[in-house]
Amino acid sequence: MEYYAHYDEKKNEKQLLKAHLNSVANLSMCQVPPCVNFDDIDNLMMKDIVYWMGYFHDIGKYSDYFQDYLIKNKNSKLKNHAHISACCNYNFLKNNLNQNNLEKNSFKMLIFLSYLSDRFHHTSLRMKNLFDRDMWKELKKLGEHFYNKGEDVFHDLGIEEEIDFEHFLSWFDIKSLENNKKDMEYIPLMLNNGMISDTRWYFLLIYMFSILIDVDKLDSAYILPHKVKKISPDNVTKYLKSISGENEKIDLIDKREKARIEMLGTINSLEDEDIKNIKFFILTAPTGIGKTLSSLQCALKLQERIQKAEKYTPRIITAIPFINIIEQNAEEYEKVLSNQAKIVVHHRLADFSSRIASYEETSIDKALLETESWDGDVILTTFVQFFHSLFTGHNKPLKKINKLAGSIVILDEVQAIPEDYMPLIGATLQMISKYYGTRFILMSATQPKLLEFGDMLLSESNIVMENSARKELLINNEEYFKGLDRTKFIPMLDRRMNTEEFIEMFFEKWEESKSAVIVVNTISRSIEIYRKLKEELEQGEYDARICYLSTNIIPKKRRNVIAEVKEILDENRPVILVSTQTIEAGVNLDFDMGFRDFAPLDSLIQTAGRINREYKKRENLPVYIVQLEKDNHYIYNLSHRQSTLDLLKGKEEIPEKEYRELIDQYYNLALKRDISDESRFIWDEGMMKLDFDALDKFKLIDNIGEVSDVFVEDDEYASELANAYEALLKYETQFEYDLVPALGDDYKDIKGELDVFQRKALIRLIMTKMNDYIIQIRVTKLIKNKPIEFKARGDADSSLFWIPPDQKDQYYDEETGFIDESGKGFVI
């Protein structure tokens, strides 16, 4: 008889089990680049171990129980295949893996972690409650079953010439495994007691697990993993020449060009041995110096050098804290790379349907799978996607972690990493560079000493890093900072102001013909200032346009506001923008002056980056720093605020050329505050002890209370999306709804029966488009003005809240967004 790994009679898709096992085994081995090793577990052993993990991961599907379930839909508890497969893998490795020079405990850990990967490849990793009596009973029944049908399986696998039949049956020897289970059961206890603590076990486990689940899912979808292509760094030079002189000041172009050439010169000056050893490249440069394209070209040049020195081609991964910057970078990357590379954009709102337009043979469910797997040449993603995939045991985010191995990772705006997590992240990046061979480009105008924070945690754990050389790409970057005279800080921190006092001060400082940005710390304050300023401007008959920006308005409106403000600025007309921190990074606007409610120094410098950004205006334009009552207390840590106050104290003006020295002092003070409890707990409990529950404590974005998604049915297209979303949620057997109004003509033929993966992908795609109309609101703000549950719209189960078109006035203001009747406001 034929044995199947996957079977769909209606689609006529039948994947033979032996083909799937061989494919996953071979593809897994090929996924390991030559730079991966875990000390005495060298690269050849890594290839060997992932090969056998792949070969054994689904061998339990040979049981009659699973085949009857797959083909006849006959359910049985014994259909579960992952655990018996993991036991086969463990038995085989224990008796056949070449131990080489591995220490006894290292060998035990290696085969145990391989067992865990196979056992949980359909769920999530865990270390607690692994073994119980009922589990062994079930496994022994399956073991006996395989003894009885062993010959069929043996012949179907086609391994008669490689091993003898008795050896094959030993794979399923569960009785012997149970009798000698101490080695397995003691490992969690030894980890918890710190007897075999070693950071490499965590990074080894998530890497092996990631390769297995990634390749398994791709092969099951008949997708071959993408082979990374080399891309010429000259593409960037050609692109820059093609746009040279477009609406930019000549001396700014010269500075950018000089900086770019110096960065490339740094890489070109390195010997091959340096290329092999240097894992961290630091790019410290002022805003507006062209870091986005310069860092891409440096990454491409590194790719070229690594290919020659180490004989493999690394992929390039760019991680950015803000979604709006990703979309900007994606547009530039696409222009630069000119269809020479497969670019994958992955974040919560990413529209993966563009993959279908580029690769017509790719179905929607496969496009989603490739996106979530980071299966491309160049990846653009968010900090949330990147870091939450590193500190977790969950299946879906871990799927892409193996793509870090050997890659070049650009971390943009690294100062956006919360200080409490800097020791954890700084140490983790160094471990990844050591074990996975990953290179990092750490990029910021306010370099936050991330690696120095990591050094503290590594030192506390008695970990000594070898070959952890670091290289500054823009070696003389201080010259670029010293020559800056675009802005100056004017601290006005001698008193706290209320809104009325701030408005009065604003009109004292503002010139009617000038543009200004006002950045405050809370949404409620931003709305209050916007409304009062608008009233004053109307009464005074000023020509200046006033606009409002915060996460309180829907994303579609935010983009429109930014586009409108940019157009006014480009026409050199006066505009005032009132905003929350949404404006701080990645928004390419250029004002004449700024007003910033008090915040930590790195945030103040980010706001200054929106003033005189393009060097087109006169020198030393002002950024006034004020204190609006106690708003900053709600948002920022006391120690961060105090450090900034100490540095600004007694200074009437601080020119831009001194910002660099200030930020160095600021982070030196931060280093003296020692390792945070958050970093130490996740490192010690989560990673050293493989406690995946502890890892769930990692939260890159600290939400102040629970958040709810509110869908604003703002226009006809929003209604079409909501209708399609409801139809997909309520789908049962036959899908007849017309998706064209919501998704376009590419989806006109999606009718009839949808499988679970198609339906999931379509819902995800609709949600990415619905997100243009979704705002995230603190539950505390919903108390007195709670919108309707989305289910009331059409009886489709959803966690969304809903603002109907005919009730917008009650819940949503066109200019300032959600109407908060509770009086509370928190920045998002």
Side-chain angles (χ1 to χ4, degrees):
M1 66 174 287
E2 289 187 325
Y3 294 91
Y4 298 104
H6 304 95
Y7 181 93
D8 189 328
E9 190 172 23
K10 292 177 181 176
K11 285 188 173 183
N12 195 30
E13 292 181 355
K14 302 174 183 179
Q15 186 180 39
L16 290 175
L17 181 51
K18 62 182 176 183
H20 178 60
L21 295 179
N22 279 295
S23 180
V24 172
N26 285 293
L27 290 173
S28 294
M29 183 174 62
C30 293
Q31 288 294 91
V32 182
C35 55
V36 171
N37 68 81
F38 294 82
D39 299 332
D40 52 344
I41 303 170
D42 62 19
N43 189 260
L44 288 175
M45 182 170 282
M46 279 306 306
K47 288 178 176 289
D48 208 18
I49 201 83
V50 299
Y51 175 90
W52 292 115
M53 278 171 48
Y55 188 79
F56 282 107
H57 82 287
D58 271 354
I59 201 167
K61 286 185 175 182
Y62 271 109
S63 77
D64 294 343
Y65 306 106
F66 180 83
Q67 293 297 313
D68 285 347
Y69 167 74
L70 189 67
I71 299 168
K72 303 175 184 177
N73 202 27
K74 186 178 178 182
N75 211 345
S76 165
K77 189 178 181 181
L78 294 175
K79 77 177 187 302
N80 296 326
H81 66 279
H83 201 175
I84 187 69
S85 299
C87 290
C88 289
N89 181 27
Y90 186 87
N91 277 334
F92 175 83
L93 293 177
K94 186 176 180 181
N95 297 309
N96 294 276
L97 184 67
N98 187 349
Q99 297 186 34
N100 292 336
N101 297 318
L102 282 182
E103 292 182 0
K104 184 177 180 181
N105 281 341
S106 293
F107 179 73
K108 288 180 179 179
M109 277 299 298
L110 177 60
I111 63 174
F112 180 74
L113 297 182
S114 178
Y115 156 82
L116 283 184
S117 299
D118 271 352
R119 177 174 172 180
F120 295 120
H121 75 271
H122 286 302
T123 55
S124 296
L125 290 170
R126 63 181 170 87
M127 189 63 77
K128 296 177 179 177
N129 304 318
L130 292 177
F131 308 104
D132 59 54
R133 188 175 298 173
D134 289 340
M135 177 203 81
W136 287 113
K137 285 181 181 178
E138 183 178 310
L139 285 173
K140 281 189 286 188
K141 285 182 182 177
L142 281 170
E144 290 168 6
H145 175 71
F146 276 105
Y147 264 81
N148 293 331
K149 65 171 303 171
E151 285 194 25
D152 282 350
V153 177
F154 185 63
H155 292 303
D156 191 72
L157 285 170
I159 53 177
E160 299 96 328
E161 295 182 6
E162 299 171 43
I163 62 170
D164 61 60
F165 183 59
E166 290 303 316
H167 183 196
F168 164 75
L169 286 180
S170 72
W171 300 352
F172 301 92
D173 187 359
I174 303 300
K175 288 182 180 179
S176 176
L177 190 62
E178 184 186 21
N179 292 335
N180 298 281
K181 64 187 176 183
K182 285 185 178 180
D183 280 350
M184 300 175 77
E185 293 185 342
Y186 280 174
I187 284 177
L189 295 173
M190 292 170 74
L191 277 168
N192 194 51
N193 293 332
M195 296 171 64
I196 52 173
S197 291
D198 190 328
T199 51
R200 68 171 168 160
W201 302 134
Y202 176 75
F203 295 100
L204 174 61
L205 174 57
I206 64 171
Y207 180 67
M208 295 193 305
F209 185 69
S210 176
I211 283 184
L212 176 61
I213 59 177
D214 185 27
V215 172
D216 183 28
K217 287 179 172 66
L218 290 173
D219 186 69
S220 299
Y222 305 100
I223 300 173
L224 280 173
H226 180 76
K227 185 176 181 180
V228 179
K229 297 193 293 287
K230 177 183 171 296
I231 307 154
S232 172
D234 292 338
N235 280 30
V236 177
T237 306
K238 292 174 184 176
Y239 172 70
L240 288 172
K241 285 181 178 178
S242 74
I243 62 170
S244 178
E246 288 186 5
N247 301 317
E248 290 184 339
K249 200 173 176 182
I250 296 299
D251 61 348
L252 174 60
I253 296 173
D254 290 343
K255 283 183 181 179
R256 286 177 175 172
E257 186 66 6
K258 181 185 175 187
R260 184 178 65 84
I261 291 170
E262 286 182 13
M263 294 176 211
L264 289 173
T266 299
I267 296 173
N268 286 327
S269 68
L270 298 174
E271 301 292 336
D272 282 353
E273 200 60 28
D274 297 322
I275 291 293
K276 291 178 181 178
N277 291 335
I278 297 172
K279 296 300 194 294
F280 289 94
F281 295 86
I282 315 300
L283 176 47
T284 308
T287 55
I289 206 71
K291 292 193 291 291
T292 298
L293 292 183
S294 294
S295 63
L296 174 61
Q297 189 165 19
C298 286
L300 293 173
K301 175 57 72 173
L302 275 173
Q303 183 189 65
E304 183 179 80
R305 295 292 308 273
I306 291 166
Q307 187 186 51
K308 290 178 180 177
E310 300 193 34
K311 310 306 179 191
Y312 78 94
T313 305
R315 78 172 30 83
I316 294 170
I317 301 169
T318 298
I320 303 171
F322 311 106
I323 288 175
N324 58 314
I325 310 181
I326 289 183
E327 298 303 329
Q328 292 173 25
N329 282 18
E331 289 179 14
E332 286 205 271
Y333 276 28
E334 285 167 3
K335 291 173 184 174
V336 169
L337 301 177
S338 305
N339 298 319
Q340 294 179 30
K342 179 179 174 182
I343 301 173
V344 172
V345 180
H346 183 220
H347 56 79
R348 183 173 59 89
L349 309 183
D351 183 355
F352 60 89
S353 63
S354 59
R355 285 278 299 111
I356 298 168
S358 302
Y359 303 85
E360 291 183 4
E361 74 278 6
T362 304
S363 64
I364 185 171
D365 49 332
K366 291 183 180 180
L368 175 59
L369 181 59
E370 288 181 325
T371 299
E372 292 180 340
S373 295
W374 289 2
D375 200 41
D377 300 303
V378 178
I379 316 299
L380 287 104
T381 191
T382 60
F383 276 15
V384 169
Q385 286 288 345
F386 186 87
F387 291 117
H388 277 270
S389 298
L390 281 173
F391 306 109
T392 186
H394 296 293
N395 187 296
K396 183 177 175 181
L398 281 175
K399 179 172 59 178
K400 54 188 176 285
I401 281 300
N402 72 93
K403 302 297 173 48
L404 293 179
S407 292
I408 300 163
V409 177
I410 301 170
L411 292 179
D412 194 1
E413 305 285 2
V414 287
Q415 81 288 338
I417 296 170
E419 186 183 309
D420 287 340
Y421 285 133
M422 283 189 181
L424 173 69
I425 289 174
T428 296
L429 297 186
Q430 293 189 61
M431 292 293 98
I432 289 171
S433 73
K434 176 182 179 180
Y435 296 130
Y436 300 175
T438 310
R439 272 87 170 177
F440 292 93
I441 298 176
L442 306 181
M443 195 159 71
S444 176
T446 57
Q447 204 63 241
K449 300 183 184 295
L450 181 65
L451 297 179
E452 289 84 345
F453 275 104
D455 290 339
M456 293 166 59
L457 189 55
L458 293 174
S459 176
E460 189 178 87
S461 302
N462 297 315
I463 296 172
V464 178
M465 290 294 295
E466 298 176 1
N467 295 329
S468 61
R470 302 158 191 182
K471 187 73 175 177
E472 178 67 59
L473 283 171
L474 192 58
I475 295 171
N476 63 338
N477 62 74
E478 289 184 4
E479 289 184 18
Y480 288 86
F481 285 95
K482 286 178 181 176
L484 294 175
D485 55 8
R486 294 173 298 181
T487 63
K488 61 182 177 182
F489 286 147
I490 302 178
M492 303 177 67
L493 303 172
D494 54 326
R495 65 189 178 96
R496 291 193 174 96
M497 301 179 185
N498 59 29
T499 296
E500 289 74 15
E501 290 168 331
F502 173 78
I503 298 290
E504 182 180 347
M505 184 276 293
F506 174 83
F507 278 105
E508 288 175 3
K509 305 295 183 184
W510 176 62
E511 297 175 40
E512 187 176 344
S513 62
K514 302 297 182 183
S515 61
V517 60
I518 299 167
V519 181
V520 299
N521 290 325
T522 67
I523 287 174
S524 58
R525 181 75 65 182
S526 68
I527 294 172
E528 187 178 20
I529 287 176
Y530 170 76
R531 286 176 177 164
K532 289 186 180 296
L533 256 183
K534 184 179 181 184
E535 184 181 340
E536 293 282 346
L537 290 169
E538 289 173 349
Q539 290 177 357
E541 297 184 354
Y542 292 95
D543 291 333
R545 176 87 167 91
I546 184 167
C547 298
Y548 176 79
L549 185 69
S550 82
T551 53
N552 205 50
I553 60 178
I554 59 175
K556 179 184 175 184
K557 170 74 171 178
R558 279 179 242 162
R559 289 199 301 273
N560 291 341
V561 168
I562 291 169
E564 179 186 1
V565 172
K566 189 172 189 334
E567 182 180 347
I568 296 171
L569 290 171
D570 289 345
E571 294 172 355
N572 205 26
R573 293 188 287 121
V575 61
I576 300 168
L577 177 64
V578 180
S579 177
T580 57
Q581 295 96 312
T582 308
I583 196 72
E584 275 187 0
V587 179
N588 190 16
L589 299 176
D590 191 357
F591 296 91
D592 294 314
M593 61 195 316
F595 297 81
R596 180 62 166 96
D597 191 8
F598 181 73
L601 184 62
D602 54 347
S603 291
L604 300 181
I605 291 175
Q606 286 297 323
T607 298
R610 308 312 115 193
I611 290 93
N612 205 5
R613 182 177 178 85
E614 304 292 342
Y615 293 85
K616 293 179 182 178
K617 310 173 191 297
R618 57 186 172 83
E619 298 174 359
N620 297 315
L621 298 186
V623 181
Y624 297 98
I625 303 169
V626 302
Q627 286 198 78
L628 291 169
E629 300 185 286
K630 294 185 177 181
D631 290 5
N632 61 76
H633 292 214
Y634 305 136
I635 309 299
Y636 302 113
N637 183 286
L638 172 61
S639 59
H640 304 170
R641 302 195 318 263
Q642 190 60 51
S643 294
T644 305
L645 275 173
D646 291 343
L647 292 169
L648 300 183
K649 192 184 300 178
K651 297 186 178 182
E652 293 184 4
E653 290 187 359
I654 303 169
E656 185 177 10
K657 64 184 179 182
E658 295 180 12
Y659 294 176
R660 170 70 187 275
E661 183 181 346
L662 271 182
I663 204 70
D664 279 345
Q665 294 175 23
Y666 176 79
Y667 283 115
N668 284 333
L669 290 171
L671 285 170
K672 291 178 181 178
R673 288 195 281 269
D674 200 16
I675 300 165
S676 67
D677 291 340
E678 290 87 345
S679 282
R680 186 177 281 113
F681 175 78
I682 292 171
W683 181 267
D684 289 346
E685 300 299 319
M687 300 169 77
M688 296 291 277
K689 297 181 180 179
L690 299 185
D691 182 346
F692 294 98
D693 292 337
L695 291 175
D696 286 339
K697 302 292 183 185
F698 180 82
K699 296 285 186 294
L700 195 65
I701 298 174
D702 185 19
N703 288 331
I704 307 171
E706 188 181 348
V707 173
S708 292
D709 289 334
V710 180
F711 177 72
V712 183
E713 195 164 337
D714 191 56
D715 54 30
E716 288 185 12
Y717 185 57
S719 299
E720 294 289 357
L721 291 171
N723 292 339
Y725 178 61
E726 287 178 348
L728 286 163
L729 289 180
K730 294 193 289 186
Y731 163 77
E732 291 181 359
T733 54
Q734 290 291 312
F735 188 76
E736 301 298 336
Y737 187 80
D738 183 7
L739 291 173
V740 171
L743 297 180
D745 289 339
D746 288 338
Y747 299 85
K748 63 185 177 183
D749 296 328
I750 294 184
K751 303 284 183 183
E753 187 172 351
L754 305 178
D755 65 33
V756 63
F757 302 108
Q758 284 179 303
R759 181 169 172 262
K760 173 189 169 184
L762 285 166
I763 291 173
R764 167 75 186 273
L765 180 56
I766 290 289
M767 281 299 298
T768 64
K769 296 178 183 298
M770 287 178 70
N771 270 299
D772 261 355
Y773 301 91
I774 289 176
I775 47 177
Q776 291 186 309
I777 304 297
R778 308 291 182 201
V779 169
T780 53
K781 296 174 72 177
L782 296 174
I783 295 170
K784 295 185 180 180
N785 199 27
K786 189 174 182 179
I788 302 163
E789 291 185 3
F790 188 84
K791 185 175 182 180
R793 186 182 187 276
D795 202 34
D797 285 328
S798 171
S799 61
L800 291 173
F801 286 96
W802 172 50
I803 298 179
D806 59 353
Q807 296 184 40
K808 269 178 61 179
D809 291 346
Q810 179 181 344
Y811 298 104
Y812 188 83
D813 183 279
E814 286 292 343
E815 293 182 335
T816 58
F818 184 73
I819 298 170
D820 171 22
E821 295 297 337
S822 72
K824 298 177 182 177
F826 297 102
V827 70
I828 296 179

